[in-house]
Structure formats: C-alpha cells, structure tokens
Amino acid sequence: MIIAANLKTNLTREKSVKYIKEVENFLDKNSISQEVLVFPAISNLNRHSGRVTIGTQNAYPTINGAFTGEIGYEQLEEFGIKTILIGHSERRHVIGETQEMLVKKFDFYKELGFKIIYCVGEPLEVREAGHEKMMEYISKQYAGIDVTYENLIIAYEPVWAIGTGLTPTLEDIVAIHKELKAKSSAPLLYGGSVKVTNAKEVLALEGVDGILVGSAALYVEHFCTMCEYAEKLNK
Ligand code: 13P
C-alpha cells in the first residue's frame, strides 16, 4: 500500500528533517515494507537517501528560467527529487491552477520520468448536484492526463473533505473508487480528513490502495500508526 504525508505549508526545515527521520526509524523498527512518501514544504527539501520517498508539492514545468516564485527541474535535481504532487485541490482552488496548466506540468514531469501523484476531487456544490454531475466534473480532471503512465498514482480527494473533518461514507468511497479505477489502473489513494481514528477502515476498503494524509500527518506518531495499519493489511 501507499501511505503519503502532505505537510503543506507546515514545519521548518529542521522540523521536517526530524519528522522524516522519526518516520524512517519507526518503519525500520517495525519492519514496515509499504511505500511511504512525504511531501515537505518546498523550502524544506533536502538531498535524502533514506527509506522514505521525498516529493515536491509543486514545481513549474521548466528546467529553469524567469518564473518568479516558482521552482523548476534544476532546483529539484539538486536534491534528487523525482516525485511530484500535481493537481492538489489547494493548487486548483486556492492558487487557481487550470486543467491546462496541470496537463503541462504532468507532461513535463512525465517526460522526466517523475513519479506523479495526480489529485482529483469535487467541491461541495458539485457533490450536492448529484452523482452524475459529480462524476462529470471529476472526469474533466482526467482530461489530457496520460492515465496509462507507469509512474502514476492517482489520489481522490473530495475538496469538501480536506481539512474539515468530514469524509464521504465508506460506501461512497468504495463506489467512487470503483468508477475511478475504470478510468485508470494506476494505484488509487483516498485523501481528505484521514485520521488515526478512521485510517484503518479506509485503508481496508476495496479499491483503496493507500491514503494521502494532510493535517493528521503532522502528528508524526499518528502518521506512523497509519503506516502500521497499512502494513497489517498488506493488500
Ligand atoms: P487533510 O488530511 O488535512 O484533510 O488534507 C488532505 C490533503 O489535502 C492531503 O493532500
């Protein structure tokens, strides 16, 4: 299974290093063989040679150049980063990235062989408009994306479930994952208010290959416990 921590705009460089070390010590000590990914804030990236895969939360589709406030491949290469999160709801809805821009990023980093965690998910008003409208909306987030890319992981994260403590019902997650699995055979993660209290049951669901965790992952011991749950299930 795949267990990923999106640390968003949290922790300092020093704290991120400590965090990753703690996770790795835990994985080693408990012989956890699941795939574990951590996405620290970009300023906290480092060259890293441990057991956990470190990814970037964002990057511009460029090697380098005049893109103030962005980073490109040259900056990632310095630290050996080969994993990227694309299409996160906060990039789509807070920063305003369009599907067109996401496709550019996807194609650029795919060409470079990056592992891509591509996020999809609907806002509340879309969900409330009914299942058909919701699936139509999510389908558009697949437009232009090479769903057969071998280094692709997809994360279904309903926007209204992110950071709110709300989640779809377990039945809903299974049903939506089933429909999304029909679009791509890439591993499919669930994200949105995954906590140490619900992680076990979410991980156990049919069609769930892992979880992408935000706020709860900031508690390193909670994130470690979720990795342990995944190891026990070992789907
Ligand atoms: P929360 O776990 O805080 O809901 O965030 C989920 C998320 O956005 C992971 O990418």
Side-chain angles (χ1 to χ4, degrees):
M1 305 196 83
I2 301 163
I3 316 299
N6 177 5
L7 302 180
K8 306 192 179 183
T9 318
N10 296 295
L11 307 189
T12 58
R13 168 172 289 267
E14 204 181 309
K15 284 182 179 159
S16 299
V17 170
K18 187 166 171 266
Y19 180 96
I20 293 161
K21 223 175 253 160
E22 279 179 40
V23 172
E24 287 184 333
N25 287 343
F26 183 88
L27 299 178
D28 281 352
K29 217 169 89 193
N30 295 281
S31 309
I32 292 174
S33 61
Q34 310 304 305
E35 184 173 354
V36 179
L37 309 163
V38 176
F39 295 86
I42 285 173
S43 61
N44 299 342
L45 292 175
N46 266 320
R47 184 163 283 279
H48 181 74
S49 58
R51 143 92 177 79
V52 162
T53 301
I54 306 300
T56 183
Q57 294 174 18
N58 177 46
Y60 202 74
T62 188
I63 300 291
N64 53 30
F67 303 99
T68 301
E70 294 287 326
I71 63 160
Y73 177 61
E74 195 172 282
Q75 288 74 41
L76 296 172
E77 195 191 16
E78 181 182 15
F79 299 126
I81 303 291
K82 293 288 275 180
T83 301
I84 185 169
L85 205 56
I86 295 179
H88 190 276
S89 115
E90 283 138 24
R91 301 290 316 176
R92 290 181 192 267
H93 300 286
V94 181
I95 315 288
E97 280 186 10
T98 60
Q99 186 65 19
E100 196 188 359
M101 170 53 83
L102 299 175
V103 169
K104 273 193 193 140
K105 287 188 182 188
F106 190 100
D107 288 345
F108 186 84
Y109 286 100
K110 175 191 143 190
E111 235 5 76
L112 290 164
F114 271 56
K115 177 173 290 201
I116 298 176
I117 289 75
Y118 182 70
C119 305
V120 299
E122 79 292 350
L124 187 60
E125 66 274 15
V126 174
R127 166 157 288 237
E128 285 174 344
H131 188 77
E132 204 174 309
K133 286 255 163 38
M134 180 180 92
M135 292 316 293
E136 238 168 61
Y137 182 95
I138 298 174
S139 291
K140 287 193 185 136
Q141 297 178 321
Y142 280 74
I145 299 299
D146 177 5
V147 293
T148 65
Y149 177 45
E150 76 242 18
N151 253 333
L152 171 65
I153 297 170
I154 297 174
Y156 169 59
E157 298 202 301
V159 181
W160 53 272
I162 295 178
T164 57
L166 303 170
T167 56
T169 63
L170 299 177
E171 293 73 27
D172 272 352
I173 296 176
V174 171
I176 295 165
H177 274 229
K178 191 169 176 202
E179 290 194 52
L180 298 186
K181 283 270 186 181
K183 294 182 188 296
S184 168
S185 58
L188 182 57
L189 315 183
Y190 170 78
S193 293
V194 176
K195 311 280 177 209
V196 77
T197 44
N198 63 8
K200 203 190 276 182
E201 50 193 17
V202 171
L203 282 164
L205 295 175
E206 196 185 334
V208 172
D209 302 308
I211 45 177
L212 178 54
V213 191
S215 28
L218 292 173
Y219 301 94
V220 68
E221 61 284 4
H222 287 200
F223 184 64
C224 288
T225 302
M226 295 184 208
C227 294
E228 202 177 16
Y229 289 157
E231 182 70 20
K232 288 205 176 114
L233 287 162
N234 198 21
K235 289 206 283 184

